[in-house]
Amino acid sequence: MAALHRSCRASTVLAVALGLALAGCSDQGSGPVVVSVVGDREDFAKPLQQLPDPAAKLLLESTAQGLVAFDARGDIIPGLAQRWIVEDDGRSYIFRLRRAFWGDGSRVTAADVARMLMARINSLRRLDPDGPLDAVQAVVPMTGEVVEIRMAAARPFMLQMLAQPQMAILSRDGGTGPYRATRRGDALMLTPVDRSTGDIETEDEPVPPAQLRVLRAERAALAILRFRAGQAGLMLGGRFADVPLLIPAGIDRDAVRIDPVQGLLGLAIVGKGALLDDDAVRAAINMAIDRSQLPNLFPLGGWTTTEQIVPSDLDLGRAPTPPAWANQPMEARRAQGRAIITRWRADHADETPLLRIALPQGPGATLLFGLLRRDLAAIGVTAQRVAMKESADLRLIDEVAPYDSALWYLGRVGCVRKIHCNAQADAALQAASLASSAEERMARAAEAEALMQAHNGYIALGAPVRWSLVSRRLSGFAPSPRARHPLNHLFSSPN
């Protein structure tokens, strides 16, 4: 009866708080923080399958912690693990778990965590056998509260990888917080978990409404309008495709917060055939694009374009390799590109140089396609836009780097991802991943980077674009180099 009484009280508190939020009340100081994130219902229903969608990421980091997490500044902070040590020259990570509970009230044990984490690692390795988890040998419970991850080789970025949403520890009843989610109409109510008991409230101390979060996944246009109307205090998940929506919506410039992220925004060559198998044609496509026009399409301060796969030296040991045509003026590049396509047409009289380009929805993507179509037409190539899930010759990649290593950039556009690739570069990348020393890893990564850049299997455009809308009444929000904004780090200011 006591449990039923607590459940009824919890339902009443949630219903009242949600009613205030859904009524359009903008009183972020006394009510729940209302959050819109770009996405759809599938992101909430099957978040692991919907990664890297921003709504799926946000739900996982809000309800299912990994061993460690990112804070808003991009630093590693405790998650399920309250502390950890690294031993054996980076080949052993030992984590002491904090006191935590599953949704059914049972205690989280090291055996639970080890079993679930190893299953998740195996699942991810089937999709990406040469990825960042390739060196994990075993995850073992050392005691009831201590877990060890044993590695075949050191991975300097292992903690950053463990902080990713896909490394969340989930049981059938969900995760361990910092929130529990309850469906209420078209929204989720997120209620803080009591870390000492696993309950969402105590009988005597119900959760203050200001600590609750109302979370919606919706189209960017609707999320922007909801924020403008004062019906949401925070919008997350803005990307380049949505930037042009801000001006007609009349959003105050001070409300727009831009994340200083690095990663990949560009076109992966995924098609095959006589056109794209021609090395010179791939180079012609790459050199034809006038990246200097991109900032006019997406006028966000600090955003940079690039012609290189890896944005900086990172762990290459040298500056990234520039394309062979990097210093040529645009007219010279296009003249060279036209000559290449003219030669190809002469050799393939029965074929038309047509490229199907897969882009997301949104006005920013429409503007990008217009630029690509114009630039490719200048060298004699016809461009056709298709949806992201349709068959394509070029497919947009728009991802934030989960950790700062050239190995991520190169692996993301390598052979295992079914991107047009160079076998010699792939072999060098695998050798870098298996290297026993930092020096060898750096040398092999540098070799792979130069070969991949010359192969032109990926057409770099710039850094990813990530932005949010933040109410003046919210504090605790910080621009994030990982585009991660934990909802439990936000605070409402009173009216």
Side-chain angles (χ1 to χ4, degrees):
M1 289 298 291
L4 178 60
H5 177 61
R6 286 195 298 271
S7 176
C8 290
R9 284 171 55 84
S11 298
T12 300
V13 170
L14 295 183
V16 171
L18 187 60
L20 290 172
L22 297 185
C25 175
S26 60
D27 185 5
Q28 297 295 327
S30 59
V33 176
V34 181
V35 181
S36 290
V37 58
V38 178
D40 56 38
R41 291 187 178 184
E42 280 298 298
D43 292 325
F44 287 170
K46 299 177 180 178
L48 279 174
Q49 290 90 328
Q50 297 298 111
L51 292 173
D53 291 356
K57 281 186 176 181
L58 184 62
L59 181 62
L60 283 171
E61 73 178 11
S62 298
T63 61
Q65 301 169 95
L67 289 170
V68 294
F70 284 120
D71 66 10
R73 297 185 302 273
D75 295 329
I76 294 293
I77 59 174
L80 272 176
Q82 58 184 331
R83 58 183 181 271
W84 56 87
I85 58 173
V86 182
E87 297 185 337
D88 194 17
D89 295 325
R91 291 190 292 269
S92 172
Y93 287 75
I94 300 173
F95 300 87
R96 177 168 290 279
L97 304 180
R98 65 171 176 80
R99 181 181 175 89
F101 300 85
W102 300 116
D104 63 2
S106 61
R107 179 79 178 270
V108 175
T109 67
D112 294 333
V113 171
R115 173 175 49 82
M116 294 175 184
L117 186 57
M118 194 67 227
R120 180 65 45 76
I121 290 171
N122 286 334
S123 175
L124 293 170
R125 286 199 297 209
R126 284 193 290 271
L127 297 174
D128 193 359
D130 299 319
L133 300 172
D134 62 339
V136 176
Q137 291 181 313
V139 183
V140 295
M142 300 177 70
T143 69
E145 298 176 340
V146 177
V147 172
E148 181 187 13
I149 299 179
R150 297 172 182 168
M151 314 278 290
R155 291 291 181 267
F157 43 77
M158 189 63 188
L159 288 175
Q160 284 77 12
M161 189 61 209
L162 291 173
Q164 298 304 310
Q166 60 265 39
M167 304 307 293
I169 307 299
L170 282 163
S171 73
R172 291 182 179 179
D173 296 319
T176 60
Y179 295 98
R180 293 250 161 80
T182 307
R183 172 69 66 177
R184 292 291 188 272
D186 65 347
L188 295 179
M189 176 64 81
L190 302 183
T191 308
V193 174
D194 186 329
R195 291 179 61 147
S196 64
T197 66
D199 293 335
I200 62 172
E201 71 162 22
T202 66
E203 186 171 353
D204 298 326
E205 297 182 12
V207 177
Q211 294 183 19
L212 302 173
R213 307 288 182 258
V214 176
L215 183 59
R216 285 188 182 86
E218 53 194 0
R219 292 181 294 109
L222 182 56
I224 291 170
L225 291 176
R226 193 183 300 278
F227 179 87
R228 188 186 68 178
Q231 295 178 356
L234 179 65
M235 176 201 162
L236 298 173
R239 299 191 176 195
F240 85 95
D242 312 314
V243 169
L245 295 170
L246 293 172
I247 295 176
I251 297 297
D252 186 345
R253 181 181 294 271
D254 291 340
V256 182
R257 309 290 179 84
I258 302 166
D259 289 325
V261 297
Q262 290 294 332
L264 294 171
L265 177 63
L267 299 165
I269 295 181
V270 294
K272 296 181 179 180
L275 183 67
L276 293 176
D277 286 345
D278 189 310
D279 292 348
V281 168
R282 292 195 308 277
I285 294 169
N286 201 348
M287 73 175 71
I289 298 172
D290 187 358
R291 293 158 178 84
S292 69
Q293 298 302 308
L294 288 171
N296 297 327
L297 304 184
F298 315 117
L300 295 173
W303 185 66
T304 58
T305 63
T306 186
E307 299 166 337
Q308 298 162 174
I309 301 172
V310 181
S312 61
D313 57 354
L314 295 178
D315 47 0
L316 283 176
R318 57 163 174 76
T321 307
W325 40 264
N327 294 324
Q328 297 180 20
M330 180 54 62
E331 269 311 307
R333 285 158 50 176
R334 286 184 176 165
Q336 185 179 347
R338 282 193 296 270
I340 290 169
I341 298 302
T342 298
R343 185 266 304 161
W344 187 90
R345 281 178 177 273
D347 293 342
H348 303 82
D350 297 332
E351 298 185 49
T352 300
L354 170 69
L355 294 177
R356 299 163 299 166
I357 304 177
L359 296 172
Q361 296 180 340
T366 300
L367 292 174
L368 175 61
F369 178 71
L371 182 146
L372 294 172
R373 180 172 56 187
R374 181 203 67 188
D375 290 353
L376 292 172
I379 63 170
V381 174
T382 301
Q384 175 185 340
R385 181 177 179 177
V386 298
M388 286 296 289
K389 293 185 178 180
E390 293 183 23
S391 296
D393 301 303
L394 277 65
R395 192 179 307 280
L396 187 83
I397 296 178
D398 181 8
E399 295 182 19
V400 174
Y403 52 88
D404 299 323
S405 172
L407 296 183
W408 178 80
Y409 289 86
L410 301 176
R412 181 60 187 85
V413 296
C415 295
V416 73
R417 298 289 186 149
K418 303 187 184 305
I419 293 171
H420 206 294
C421 63
N422 176 293
Q424 187 179 353
D426 194 59
L429 183 60
Q430 291 184 21
S433 181
L434 297 173
S436 57
S437 69
E439 291 75 14
E440 182 184 358
R441 182 167 58 247
M442 189 179 299
R444 298 287 79 76
E447 178 186 356
E449 185 267 346
L451 290 167
M452 284 189 177
Q453 187 71 54
H455 185 74
N456 294 292
Y458 171 73
I459 299 170
L461 298 177
V465 175
R466 295 293 185 271
W467 56 271
S468 307
L469 299 179
V470 185
S471 167
R472 293 187 183 93
R473 292 178 179 168
L474 280 184
S475 61
F477 183 95
S480 169
R482 306 290 178 196
R484 304 286 288 277
H485 302 287
L487 298 183
N488 58 327
H489 292 187
L490 297 174
F491 304 96
S492 298
S493 302
N495 289 337

